[in-house]
Amino acid sequence: MSRHQDAGVRGFAASLSATEASKAFAWAIAIKPEAVPSTPRQLRWLPHPETRDLADELQSGEIALWMAMISEHRAEADSNHTGLDLAQASAVLDAAEIDRALRLVHDTDRRSFAASHAGARLLLGSALNQKPDDLRFLSSTLGKPMLADTPGLQFSISHAREAVTVAIAREPIGVDLEPLRELDHLGEISELVLAADERAVVARAPAALRSRLFLRYWTLKEALLKAAGFGFSIPPNTILIDAGNIPAVVSAPAILEADTQWQFIAPALDPQLAEWINGAA
Protein backbone atom coordinates (compact mmCIF):
# COMPACT_ATOMS: atom_id res chain seq x y z
CA MET A 1 0.00 0.00 0.00
CA SER A 2 1.66 3.20 -1.12
CA ARG A 3 0.36 6.64 -0.26
CA HIS A 4 -1.58 6.62 -3.53
CA GLN A 5 -2.62 2.98 -3.79
CA ASP A 6 -6.40 2.49 -3.83
CA ALA A 7 -6.84 6.27 -3.68
CA GLY A 8 -10.37 5.92 -5.05
CA VAL A 9 -11.53 3.41 -2.47
CA ARG A 10 -13.86 4.98 0.10
CA GLY A 11 -15.31 3.70 3.34
CA PHE A 12 -12.73 1.02 3.97
CA ALA A 13 -13.32 1.64 7.69
CA ALA A 14 -17.05 2.13 8.28
CA SER A 15 -17.76 3.91 11.57
CA LEU A 16 -19.89 2.03 14.08
CA SER A 17 -22.44 3.40 16.50
CA ALA A 18 -22.40 2.23 20.12
CA THR A 19 -25.43 0.03 19.46
CA GLU A 20 -23.88 -1.59 16.39
CA ALA A 21 -20.58 -2.16 18.16
CA SER A 22 -22.15 -3.78 21.21
CA LYS A 23 -24.09 -6.25 19.07
CA ALA A 24 -20.98 -7.49 17.26
CA PHE A 25 -18.10 -7.00 19.70
CA ALA A 26 -16.99 -7.29 23.28
CA TRP A 27 -15.17 -4.04 24.08
CA ALA A 28 -13.89 -2.24 27.13
CA ILE A 29 -12.14 0.95 28.20
CA ALA A 30 -10.05 1.23 31.36
CA ILE A 31 -8.97 4.56 32.80
CA LYS A 32 -6.92 5.56 35.83
CA PRO A 33 -8.36 8.84 37.12
CA GLU A 34 -5.73 11.34 38.20
CA ALA A 35 -8.17 13.89 39.59
CA VAL A 36 -11.63 13.61 41.17
CA PRO A 37 -11.50 9.80 40.93
CA SER A 38 -15.04 9.30 42.22
CA THR A 39 -16.52 11.16 39.24
CA PRO A 40 -17.61 8.77 36.46
CA ARG A 41 -15.85 9.39 33.17
CA GLN A 42 -17.99 10.52 30.25
CA LEU A 43 -17.73 8.71 26.93
CA ARG A 44 -18.00 10.70 23.72
CA TRP A 45 -18.65 8.28 20.84
CA LEU A 46 -17.40 9.80 17.58
CA PRO A 47 -18.83 9.20 14.08
CA HIS A 48 -15.43 9.96 12.49
CA PRO A 49 -11.89 10.34 13.89
CA GLU A 50 -11.51 13.83 12.41
CA THR A 51 -13.69 16.02 14.63
CA ARG A 52 -13.19 19.75 14.44
CA ASP A 53 -14.47 20.79 17.87
CA LEU A 54 -12.65 18.10 19.83
CA ALA A 55 -9.85 20.41 21.02
CA ASP A 56 -12.31 22.70 22.81
CA GLU A 57 -14.54 19.98 24.22
CA LEU A 58 -12.21 17.18 25.38
CA GLN A 59 -12.12 18.04 29.05
CA SER A 60 -10.54 16.23 31.97
CA GLY A 61 -12.84 13.33 32.74
CA GLU A 62 -14.02 12.90 29.14
CA ILE A 63 -13.05 10.03 26.82
CA ALA A 64 -13.28 10.28 23.03
CA LEU A 65 -13.79 6.98 21.19
CA TRP A 66 -14.00 6.01 17.53
CA MET A 67 -14.79 2.47 16.39
CA ALA A 68 -15.09 1.13 12.84
CA MET A 69 -15.71 -2.05 10.90
CA ILE A 70 -13.13 -2.94 8.28
CA SER A 71 -14.61 -3.43 4.81
CA GLU A 72 -12.76 -6.02 2.74
CA HIS A 73 -12.68 -5.63 -1.06
CA ARG A 74 -15.57 -3.16 -1.08
CA ALA A 75 -15.60 0.18 -2.86
CA GLU A 76 -18.17 1.81 -0.58
CA ALA A 77 -19.21 1.60 3.03
CA ASP A 78 -22.91 1.00 3.69
CA SER A 79 -24.92 4.13 3.01
CA ASN A 80 -25.88 4.41 6.69
CA HIS A 81 -22.24 4.66 7.78
CA THR A 82 -19.65 7.34 7.65
CA GLY A 83 -16.35 5.95 6.49
CA LEU A 84 -12.68 6.71 6.80
CA ASP A 85 -11.31 7.21 3.30
CA LEU A 86 -8.30 5.04 2.47
CA ALA A 87 -6.61 7.92 0.67
CA GLN A 88 -7.10 10.13 3.73
CA ALA A 89 -5.69 7.42 5.98
CA SER A 90 -2.67 6.79 3.75
CA ALA A 91 -1.90 10.51 3.57
CA VAL A 92 -1.40 10.88 7.34
CA LEU A 93 0.64 7.71 8.00
CA ASP A 94 4.40 8.06 8.14
CA ALA A 95 6.84 5.89 6.20
CA ALA A 96 7.44 3.53 9.11
CA GLU A 97 3.70 2.93 9.59
CA ILE A 98 3.21 2.27 5.87
CA ASP A 99 6.14 -0.15 5.91
CA ARG A 100 4.69 -2.00 8.91
CA ALA A 101 1.30 -2.27 7.18
CA LEU A 102 2.88 -3.63 4.03
CA ARG A 103 4.64 -6.37 5.99
CA LEU A 104 1.31 -7.84 7.12
CA VAL A 105 0.27 -10.88 5.09
CA HIS A 106 -3.51 -10.47 4.96
CA ASP A 107 -5.17 -7.54 3.21
CA THR A 108 -7.70 -7.12 6.03
CA ASP A 109 -4.88 -6.94 8.58
CA ARG A 110 -3.18 -4.25 6.50
CA ARG A 111 -6.43 -2.29 6.36
CA SER A 112 -6.98 -2.70 10.11
CA PHE A 113 -3.48 -1.47 10.88
CA ALA A 114 -3.83 1.51 8.53
CA ALA A 115 -7.28 2.44 9.88
CA SER A 116 -6.29 2.24 13.55
CA HIS A 117 -3.05 4.21 13.20
CA ALA A 118 -4.54 6.81 10.87
CA GLY A 119 -7.56 7.06 13.15
CA ALA A 120 -5.27 7.74 16.11
CA ARG A 121 -3.43 10.45 14.18
CA LEU A 122 -6.65 12.12 13.05
CA LEU A 123 -8.23 11.94 16.51
CA LEU A 124 -5.13 13.28 18.28
CA GLY A 125 -4.61 15.94 15.63
CA SER A 126 -8.19 17.12 16.13
CA ALA A 127 -7.74 17.26 19.92
CA LEU A 128 -4.45 19.17 19.64
CA ASN A 129 -5.32 21.41 16.67
CA GLN A 130 -2.29 20.01 14.88
CA LYS A 131 -1.76 18.40 11.49
CA PRO A 132 -2.09 14.64 12.05
CA ASP A 133 0.91 13.81 9.86
CA ASP A 134 3.13 16.11 11.98
CA LEU A 135 2.57 14.12 15.19
CA ARG A 136 5.53 12.16 16.56
CA PHE A 137 5.26 9.04 18.71
CA LEU A 138 7.54 7.09 20.99
CA SER A 139 7.19 3.89 23.03
CA SER A 140 7.63 3.22 26.73
CA THR A 141 10.15 0.61 27.84
CA LEU A 142 7.31 -1.93 27.78
CA GLY A 143 6.12 -0.85 24.34
CA LYS A 144 3.16 1.38 25.15
CA PRO A 145 2.80 3.99 22.36
CA MET A 146 2.57 7.65 23.40
CA LEU A 147 2.82 11.11 21.97
CA ALA A 148 6.38 12.43 21.95
CA ASP A 149 5.59 16.07 22.77
CA THR A 150 2.23 16.06 24.60
CA PRO A 151 2.39 13.93 27.75
CA GLY A 152 -0.93 15.34 28.99
CA LEU A 153 -2.91 13.61 26.24
CA GLN A 154 -2.97 9.82 26.13
CA PHE A 155 -4.41 7.30 23.69
CA SER A 156 -4.94 3.60 23.10
CA ILE A 157 -5.53 1.54 19.95
CA SER A 158 -7.04 -1.89 19.43
CA HIS A 159 -7.60 -3.73 16.19
CA ALA A 160 -9.07 -7.11 15.46
CA ARG A 161 -9.17 -8.33 11.87
CA GLU A 162 -12.77 -7.17 11.58
CA ALA A 163 -12.66 -3.84 13.40
CA VAL A 164 -10.57 -1.09 14.95
CA THR A 165 -10.99 1.34 17.81
CA VAL A 166 -9.11 4.36 19.13
CA ALA A 167 -9.67 6.10 22.48
CA ILE A 168 -8.07 9.27 23.85
CA ALA A 169 -8.23 11.00 27.22
CA ARG A 170 -6.22 13.28 29.49
CA GLU A 171 -5.51 10.36 31.85
CA PRO A 172 -3.96 6.89 31.43
CA ILE A 173 -6.31 4.92 29.18
CA GLY A 174 -6.55 1.50 27.57
CA VAL A 175 -9.07 0.11 25.07
CA ASP A 176 -9.68 -3.37 23.70
CA LEU A 177 -12.23 -5.07 21.46
CA GLU A 178 -12.88 -8.63 20.32
CA PRO A 179 -15.48 -9.97 17.88
CA LEU A 180 -18.22 -11.90 19.63
CA ARG A 181 -17.77 -15.53 18.58
CA GLU A 182 -17.65 -19.08 19.84
CA LEU A 183 -14.13 -19.94 21.02
CA ASP A 184 -12.43 -23.29 20.55
CA HIS A 185 -10.36 -24.73 23.40
CA LEU A 186 -11.97 -22.33 25.87
CA GLY A 187 -10.72 -24.30 28.87
CA GLU A 188 -7.09 -24.04 27.78
CA ILE A 189 -7.37 -20.32 26.98
CA SER A 190 -9.07 -19.66 30.30
CA GLU A 191 -6.10 -21.10 32.21
CA LEU A 192 -3.91 -18.38 30.70
CA VAL A 193 -6.34 -15.47 31.04
CA LEU A 194 -8.69 -16.02 33.96
CA ALA A 195 -8.15 -16.19 37.70
CA ALA A 196 -9.40 -19.34 39.44
CA ASP A 197 -12.64 -17.71 40.64
CA GLU A 198 -13.34 -16.41 37.13
CA ARG A 199 -12.71 -19.81 35.58
CA ALA A 200 -15.20 -21.30 38.01
CA VAL A 201 -17.85 -18.75 36.99
CA VAL A 202 -17.28 -19.43 33.27
CA ALA A 203 -17.31 -23.21 33.80
CA ARG A 204 -20.66 -23.04 35.61
CA ALA A 205 -22.25 -20.78 32.99
CA PRO A 206 -24.61 -22.25 30.38
CA ALA A 207 -22.60 -23.39 27.36
CA ALA A 208 -24.20 -20.74 25.12
CA LEU A 209 -22.88 -17.94 27.36
CA ARG A 210 -19.35 -19.13 28.09
CA SER A 211 -17.50 -17.57 25.14
CA ARG A 212 -19.31 -14.25 25.54
CA LEU A 213 -18.51 -14.18 29.26
CA PHE A 214 -14.85 -15.06 28.64
CA LEU A 215 -14.55 -12.27 26.05
CA ARG A 216 -15.95 -9.75 28.53
CA TYR A 217 -13.32 -10.73 31.10
CA TRP A 218 -10.64 -10.70 28.42
CA THR A 219 -11.39 -7.22 27.04
CA LEU A 220 -11.65 -5.71 30.54
CA LYS A 221 -8.27 -7.17 31.51
CA GLU A 222 -6.49 -6.19 28.32
CA ALA A 223 -7.84 -2.64 28.55
CA LEU A 224 -6.59 -2.46 32.15
CA LEU A 225 -3.11 -3.73 31.28
CA LYS A 226 -2.88 -1.27 28.39
CA ALA A 227 -3.94 1.65 30.58
CA ALA A 228 -1.41 0.67 33.25
CA GLY A 229 1.31 0.47 30.60
CA PHE A 230 2.44 -3.04 31.53
CA GLY A 231 0.80 -5.09 28.79
CA PHE A 232 1.31 -8.82 29.12
CA SER A 233 4.37 -8.43 31.33
CA ILE A 234 1.72 -9.01 34.03
CA PRO A 235 -0.12 -12.32 33.53
CA PRO A 236 -3.85 -11.57 33.14
CA ASN A 237 -4.75 -14.59 35.31
CA THR A 238 -3.26 -12.76 38.31
CA ILE A 239 -6.03 -10.15 38.07
CA LEU A 240 -9.54 -10.76 39.41
CA ILE A 241 -12.34 -8.74 37.77
CA ASP A 242 -15.99 -8.22 38.59
CA ALA A 243 -17.40 -8.39 35.05
CA GLY A 244 -20.92 -7.25 35.92
CA ASN A 245 -22.74 -4.20 34.61
CA ILE A 246 -20.43 -1.96 36.65
CA PRO A 247 -17.07 -3.71 36.09
CA ALA A 248 -14.39 -3.33 38.76
CA VAL A 249 -10.98 -4.66 39.80
CA VAL A 250 -11.43 -7.04 42.73
CA SER A 251 -7.75 -7.87 43.22
CA ALA A 252 -4.52 -7.48 41.27
CA PRO A 253 -0.74 -7.47 41.73
CA ALA A 254 0.42 -4.54 43.85
CA ILE A 255 2.26 -2.98 40.90
CA LEU A 256 -1.13 -2.27 39.29
CA GLU A 257 -2.12 -0.17 42.31
CA ALA A 258 -5.40 -2.03 42.59
CA ASP A 259 -6.37 0.17 45.52
CA THR A 260 -6.51 3.08 43.06
CA GLN A 261 -10.03 3.57 41.79
CA TRP A 262 -9.67 2.17 38.29
CA GLN A 263 -12.73 2.83 36.18
CA PHE A 264 -14.15 0.75 33.33
CA ILE A 265 -16.57 1.52 30.55
CA ALA A 266 -18.06 -1.49 28.74
CA PRO A 267 -21.34 -2.37 27.00
CA ALA A 268 -24.32 -3.18 29.16
CA LEU A 269 -24.67 -6.92 29.59
CA ASP A 270 -27.34 -8.63 27.57
CA PRO A 271 -30.17 -9.87 29.82
CA GLN A 272 -29.15 -13.54 29.77
CA LEU A 273 -25.56 -12.82 30.72
CA ALA A 274 -26.56 -10.25 33.34
CA GLU A 275 -28.92 -12.75 34.94
CA TRP A 276 -26.20 -15.39 35.07
CA ILE A 277 -23.49 -13.13 36.49
CA ASN A 278 -25.82 -11.69 39.12
CA GLY A 279 -26.91 -15.18 40.12
CA ALA A 280 -23.32 -16.45 40.25
CA ALA A 281 -22.07 -13.59 42.42
Side-chain angles (χ1 to χ4, degrees):
M1 175 173 55
S2 70
R3 288 185 181 273
H4 302 289
Q5 182 180 345
D6 294 334
V9 177
R10 301 189 61 83
F12 87 110
S15 299
L16 295 171
S17 68
T19 299
E20 291 168 324
S22 298
K23 288 179 179 178
F25 299 95
W27 60 268
I29 298 168
I31 193 162
K32 181 182 179 183
E34 296 187 326
V36 198
S38 62
T39 303
R41 271 36 194 170
Q42 300 299 313
L43 180 62
R44 183 177 178 186
W45 198 287
L46 301 176
H48 194 279
E50 190 172 37
T51 304
R52 293 181 180 178
D53 58 357
L54 193 56
D56 296 329
E57 296 190 4
L58 185 65
Q59 305 298 322
S60 178
E62 186 177 35
I63 300 164
L65 179 81
W66 174 65
M67 193 177 296
M69 182 78 77
I70 299 303
S71 301
E72 186 174 11
H73 306 306
R74 285 165 53 186
E76 296 286 341
D78 293 340
S79 59
N80 292 332
H81 290 107
T82 56
L84 177 60
D85 187 293
L86 185 55
Q88 181 185 23
S90 297
V92 301
L93 297 174
D94 65 20
E97 289 166 327
I98 291 174
D99 182 65
R100 286 177 64 188
L102 285 169
R103 292 176 184 273
L104 298 171
V105 174
H106 298 288
D107 180 65
T108 308
D109 291 338
R110 291 193 292 270
R111 287 172 176 249
S112 295
F113 181 93
S116 60
H117 285 256
R121 283 184 173 274
L122 290 165
L123 200 55
L124 291 165
S126 296
L128 294 168
N129 272 330
Q130 293 184 21
K131 292 176 62 178
D133 47 327
D134 285 345
L135 298 176
R136 297 189 306 110
F137 299 90
L138 51 81
S139 295
S140 71
T141 54
L142 292 173
K144 182 178 181 179
M146 60 187 70
L147 280 165
D149 304 315
T150 314
L153 190 63
Q154 303 200 33
F155 71 100
S156 183
I157 293 172
S158 181
H159 50 87
R161 181 166 291 185
E162 295 90 346
V164 300
T165 188
V166 182
I168 67 171
R170 300 194 184 278
E171 298 166 304
I173 187 168
V175 66
D176 189 51
L177 85 165
E178 287 287 339
L180 291 172
R181 62 198 189 278
E182 288 300 311
L183 297 169
D184 296 327
H185 311 296
L186 185 57
E188 297 172 20
I189 303 171
S190 295
E191 290 283 343
L192 298 173
V193 174
L194 303 182
D197 288 353
E198 296 164 340
R199 293 198 300 272
V201 172
V202 172
R204 293 198 306 269
L209 299 179
R210 288 174 192 160
S211 289
R212 182 179 288 262
L213 179 54
F214 171 86
L215 289 168
R216 185 169 177 87
Y217 279 124
W218 171 245
T219 51
L220 289 165
K221 291 188 179 195
E222 185 159 359
L224 172 64
L225 290 171
K226 286 182 177 180
F230 292 107
F232 292 115
S233 65
I234 295 177
N237 59 10
T238 62
I239 303 166
L240 182 62
I241 296 286
D242 177 349
N245 261 327
I246 305 177
V249 179
V250 177
S251 64
I255 196 170
L256 281 175
E257 299 179 322
D259 56 337
T260 301
Q261 194 171 354
W262 286 95
Q263 291 187 10
F264 290 107
I265 297 175
L269 294 167
D270 66 62
Q272 279 188 308
L273 194 53
E275 182 179 2
W276 167 254
I277 289 180
N278 291 335

